[in-house]
Amino acid sequence: MAATTSADRGREVRRRLLAAATGLIAERGWPGVSTRVLAERAGVAPGLVHYHFASLQALLTEAAIGVLRGLTDGLTPLLNQAGTPEEALDLLLGSLASHTGHDPVSLVFTETYLAATRDEELRRAVGGVLADFRRELARWLGEHEVESPAETAAVLAAAVDGVLLHRALDPGLTAETVAPVLRRTLTKAGRRTS
């Protein structure tokens, strides 16, 4: 068995801190996370929080952006499975089925969006995640001859975000109820003609 190095231990502490931050953001909300509570949840000394991260805010940001990236990065393979824009929409909305608005990912998503309204650095980081997703979606829509792919991607991304945010208040806002409405934006009338 190989000996654990100092770098390995440092990576493990960072991983535990990020996991603890993600859980606490979902449970307590962004402002409810303190260095002491975070360190206790991660099972480390409070001083290690600031040893591994520039600030508590930097740690929370990295944890939250990791959740958002995981969510959006998981959508790209769905696009690659779809043959038509309508199928892509159905797959994107279907991927939200496990997000009730009260699950940890939904709560981190909601808390992060709210915190981003008050923190410029976080706003830029969230904006970067959104821009990457919109760019990928626009590329895919353009390849499938949807008119105005960048604008369509922006609206569809906002709609998907909105469904995720609203689901906590309206559990009936399912893919089955939303898809027919959004599908109209992707009909043949919205496609380029040769």
Side-chain angles (χ1 to χ4, degrees), residues 40-104:
E40 185 177 293
R41 173 70 60 93
V44 301
L48 288 177
V49 171
H50 296 287
Y51 177 80
H52 288 281
F53 295 91
S55 65
L56 177 61
Q57 185 69 16
L59 169 53
L60 295 175
T61 297
E62 188 172 326
I65 294 302
V67 170
L68 296 183
R69 281 258 178 239
L71 192 58
T72 58
D73 288 353
L75 299 177
T76 299
L78 292 178
L79 292 174
N80 295 332
Q81 292 175 24
T84 67
E86 293 82 8
E87 288 175 11
L89 177 63
D90 290 343
L91 288 169
L92 290 174
L93 291 172
S95 73
L96 300 180
S98 64
H99 302 295
T100 63
H102 301 287
D103 63 281

